[in-house]
């Protein structure tokens, strides 16, 4: 877990002079991913060397004199923002700008052609056919789509909003509660400006994160969550081409293997109705557990001069909102890590079972995906950046091994039947002892559900009889 998820971290030291000063400055401040740490940039971000000291650089670029008018207009719009905890309009604009600038290897975004769309549709169709033989869950992809990077941003932002808002809201709410009630009215303009600045800062960093991620992901489920619309399996042809460039594997096999992973995720999220809310609920549980050092916040707010915006930015950069690590957060993140590992492990096991007999590159592709996780691929970087979560590759491998063992011991139906209820799934301790879990007797929730259903029907019948009796009594009274 990131040390200060959603923490407004410490800025680097101010450069002393020239390049030597910059080198020295880079040694200070907080290290590690922290897009909500004002004063830290994202890997692959769009700004220049000064971005770490100037969170507005992503918006205003080089700030040449000809652009100053537009820059000040944008600042005015930022300060007049009165929405939620994150300025999502700004996040979307910056994500699109980041995508338009291309990735570090010089590859620019491009519209998806007809041939690429057809290739994706065919790959998903064939992948679904192969998956039919290795899982009892039916297809979850009603349609298959090929997205550009910009289309991925547009399609996934609503889900990022659902993920990030609870955490940002909890961090931002601490600001309004540190002042006594009689002082809050007097400090209204200052608090309003700080909320606008905070929303803009969140938006700027999230926009950079999502825009950078758009240059890496190959589908809508790379981070283990359903980021796209329900019922759609989505692949990004441009990123798939970059992903497979140095693998020595044909582009058709790469596309088909990644289509298998996307289609497998789609089946799981479409036919395990509680899974999405379970994962997102863990994020909300993490948000509820956030505690902010109010004594530090009170001290900082008391020293702020509303007429000095630079002082406000320095306070934001100085860690005034840095949350404390709490037992509630740790428990929520542990639940989320385990659930994500189980999702990714199931996909890994099922896809390998489908691909192994058919694709000569199945073993190589599987190991490539695992190493991508271990080296800090999209899932790890994004969760560490946005919600302080790192999906540990060790847990992923353990989960995949457990699902494979379950297939051998109980068959496909017995393995997939565990998704019927969250209490039937393996726990973190079960990942440490997969053999013990595989051979343990599992609760049969179907009998419990049957009993509950019969009890509900009996209550309905009793209620219906009582209503009929009441009506008869009323009719008897009327006749009298």
């Amino acid at each position: 877990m990131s040390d200060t998820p959603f923490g407004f971290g410490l800025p680097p030291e101010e450069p002393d002079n020239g390049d030597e000063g910059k080198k020295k400055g880079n040694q200070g401040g907080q290290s590690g991913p922290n897009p909500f740490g004002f004063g830290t940039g994202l890997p692959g971000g769009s700004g220049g060397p000064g971005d770490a000291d100037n969170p507005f650089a992503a918006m205003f670029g080089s700030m040449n004199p000809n652009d100053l008018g537009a820059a000040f207009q944008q600042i005015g719009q930022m300060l007049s923002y009165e929405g939620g905890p994150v300025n999502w309009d700004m996040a979307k604009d910056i994500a699109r700008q980041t995508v338009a600038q291309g990735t570090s290897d010089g590859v620019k975004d491009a519209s998806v052609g007809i041939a690429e769309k057809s290739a994706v549709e065919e790959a998903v169709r064939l992948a679904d056919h192969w998956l039919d033989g290795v899982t009892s869950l039916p297809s979850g992809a009603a349609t298959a789509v090929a997205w550009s990077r910009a289309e991925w941003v547009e399609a996934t932002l609503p889900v990022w909003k659902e993920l990030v808002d609870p955490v940002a809201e909890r961090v931002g709410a601490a600001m309004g509660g540190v002042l006594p009630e009689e002082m809050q009215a007097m400090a209204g303009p200052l608090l309003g400006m700080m909320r606008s600045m905070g929303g803009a800062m969140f938006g700027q960093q999230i926009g950079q994160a999502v825009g950078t991620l758009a240059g890496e992901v190959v589908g809508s489920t790379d981070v283990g969550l359903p980021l796209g619309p329900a019922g759609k399996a989505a692949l990004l042809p441009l990123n798939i081409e970059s992903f497979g460039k140095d693998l020595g594997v044909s582009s058709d096999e790469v596309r088909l293997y990644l289509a298998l992973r996307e289609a497998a995720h789609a089946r799981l999220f479409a036919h395990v109705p509680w899974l999405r809310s379970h994962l997102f609920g863990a994020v909300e549980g993490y948000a509820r557990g956030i505690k902010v050092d109010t004594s530090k916040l009170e001290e900082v707010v008391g020293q702020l001069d509303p007429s000095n915006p630079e002082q406000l930015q320095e306070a934001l950069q100085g860690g005034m909102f840095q949350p404390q690590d709490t037992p509630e957060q740790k428990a929520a993140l542990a639940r989320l890590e385990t659930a994500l590992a189980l999702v990714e492990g199931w996909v890994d096991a099922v896809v390998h079972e489908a691909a192994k007999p058919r694709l000569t590159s199945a073993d190589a592709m599987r190991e490539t995906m695992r190493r991508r996780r271990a080296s800090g691929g999209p899932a790890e970087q994004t969760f560490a950046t946005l919600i302080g979560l790192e999906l540990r590759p060790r847990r992923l491998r353990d989960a995949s091994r457990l699902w494979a063992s379950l297939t051998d011991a109980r068959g496909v139906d017995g393995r997939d039947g565990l998704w019927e209820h969250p209490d039937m799934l393996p726990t973190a301790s079960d990942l440490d002892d997969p053999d013990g879990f595989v051979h343990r007797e599992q609760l049969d929730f179907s009998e419990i559900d049957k009993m509950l259903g019969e009890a509900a029907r009996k209550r309905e019948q009793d209620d219906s009889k009582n209503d009929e009796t009441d009506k008869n009594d009323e009719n008897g009274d009327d006749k009298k």
Side-chain angles (χ1 to χ4, degrees):
M1 186 177 72
S2 170
D3 290 337
T4 55
F6 282 85
F8 288 45
L10 298 176
E13 294 179 13
E14 191 70 23
D16 292 337
N17 60 331
D19 292 336
E20 291 299 317
K22 291 179 182 178
K23 290 177 183 176
K24 178 181 179 183
N26 287 338
Q27 295 172 1
Q30 181 180 342
S31 62
N34 181 18
F36 296 132
F38 300 159
T40 58
L42 283 173
S46 58
D51 283 1
D53 300 315
N54 176 14
F56 299 102
M59 290 184 286
F60 305 143
S62 60
M63 289 292 289
N64 66 65
N66 294 331
D67 294 333
L68 274 178
F72 281 117
Q73 182 179 5
Q74 213 161 356
I75 290 177
Q77 292 173 349
M78 177 190 71
L79 293 177
S80 64
Y81 173 72
E82 296 180 351
V86 178
N87 189 331
W88 285 102
D89 290 336
M90 179 176 290
K92 178 179 175 180
D93 290 343
I94 291 176
R96 293 294 298 262
Q97 291 169 18
T98 303
V99 165
Q101 290 168 358
T103 49
S104 58
D105 57 2
V107 177
K108 300 279 188 178
D109 193 21
S111 299
V112 179
I114 296 177
E116 291 172 318
K117 291 180 180 179
S118 298
V120 166
E121 291 172 357
E122 176 61 22
V124 172
R125 184 197 64 77
L126 184 57
D128 251 340
H129 176 66
W130 288 0
L131 289 172
D132 283 339
V134 296
T135 175
S136 60
L137 299 179
S139 174
T143 58
V145 294
W147 284 340
S148 66
R149 293 167 178 170
E151 288 173 323
W152 183 90
V153 168
E154 295 281 352
T156 62
L157 267 180
V159 181
W160 289 121
K161 186 176 187 298
E162 188 176 350
L163 276 170
V164 174
D165 267 353
V167 183
E169 178 72 42
R170 186 67 186 87
V171 172
M175 176 173 50
V178 298
L179 294 178
E181 290 185 11
E182 61 272 15
M183 293 183 62
Q184 289 190 17
M186 297 173 58
L190 172 62
L191 292 177
M193 182 176 68
M194 292 177 68
R195 279 192 291 266
S196 296
M197 290 282 288
M201 294 291 189
F202 276 120
Q204 185 260 338
Q205 297 287 357
I206 294 170
Q208 280 191 351
V210 173
T212 301
L213 190 62
E216 301 175 357
V217 294
V218 295
S220 69
T221 55
D222 278 33
V223 298
L225 288 174
L227 296 180
K232 282 189 178 180
L235 295 176
L236 282 72
L238 183 62
N239 291 355
I240 290 175
E241 182 181 351
S242 297
F243 173 83
K245 185 170 57 177
D246 299 321
L247 295 180
V249 179
S250 72
S251 58
D252 289 341
E253 282 205 13
V254 172
R255 185 190 307 110
L256 187 49
Y257 188 86
L258 297 177
L260 280 166
R261 289 183 55 83
E262 182 76 4
H265 278 103
R267 288 181 181 230
L268 202 55
F269 287 114
H271 299 292
V272 182
W274 56 264
L275 182 57
R276 188 181 191 278
S277 60
H278 180 72
L279 292 168
F280 283 58
V283 178
E284 293 178 3
Y286 168 83
R288 287 193 299 270
I290 288 177
K291 307 288 185 198
V292 176
D293 186 351
T294 55
S295 62
K296 180 178 181 179
L297 193 55
E298 289 171 356
E299 180 183 353
V300 173
V301 171
Q303 296 174 353
L304 285 178
D305 179 3
S307 64
N308 187 352
E310 291 183 1
Q311 188 186 33
L312 173 60
Q313 183 171 336
E314 290 173 3
L316 292 172
Q317 290 176 332
M320 67 182 291
F321 293 131
Q322 183 172 328
Q324 300 170 322
D325 212 5
T326 66
E328 293 87 353
Q329 285 176 285
K330 291 180 179 179
L333 286 177
R335 289 195 301 272
L336 186 54
E337 283 183 339
T338 301
L340 285 171
L342 291 173
V343 168
E344 291 298 286
W346 183 88
V347 168
D348 179 80
V350 167
V351 166
H352 188 69
E353 189 177 353
K356 178 69 172 174
R358 299 176 174 94
L359 299 178
T360 58
S361 63
D363 289 330
M365 290 293 296
R366 185 188 205 185
E367 189 58 30
T368 297
M369 293 302 298
R370 286 179 166 184
R371 289 182 179 180
R372 195 177 188 226
R373 295 281 195 225
S375 62
E380 290 75 39
Q381 289 179 356
T382 300
F383 277 108
T385 297
L386 293 183
I387 59 176
L389 170 74
E390 292 180 356
L391 179 61
R392 293 169 292 174
R394 182 180 65 83
R395 297 282 82 182
L396 169 59
R397 290 177 183 267
D398 290 345
S400 179
R401 192 178 303 115
L402 187 148
W403 288 118
S405 297
L406 282 168
T407 307
D408 294 338
R410 304 185 186 183
V412 169
D413 291 341
R415 177 200 66 199
D416 294 346
L418 294 179
W419 290 106
E420 290 180 3
H421 195 282
D423 290 343
M424 297 176 68
L425 286 179
T427 63
S429 60
D430 292 326
L431 295 180
D432 296 325
D433 181 23
D435 291 336
F437 179 83
V438 168
H439 299 292
R440 186 189 312 154
E441 287 297 327
Q442 297 294 307
L443 293 173
D444 187 358
F445 282 87
S446 61
E447 288 299 320
I448 296 178
D449 291 340
K450 183 179 179 181
M451 292 170 59
L452 292 174
E454 290 177 351
R457 284 192 295 272
K458 187 175 185 302
R459 282 197 303 270
E460 291 176 358
Q461 292 173 356
D462 291 342
D463 291 342
S464 178
K465 289 179 180 178
N466 290 336
D467 291 343
E468 187 66 29
T469 301
D470 291 341
K471 288 181 180 179
N472 291 336
D473 292 342
E474 291 175 0
N475 291 335
D477 292 339
D478 291 342
K479 289 178 181 179
K480 292 178 182 180

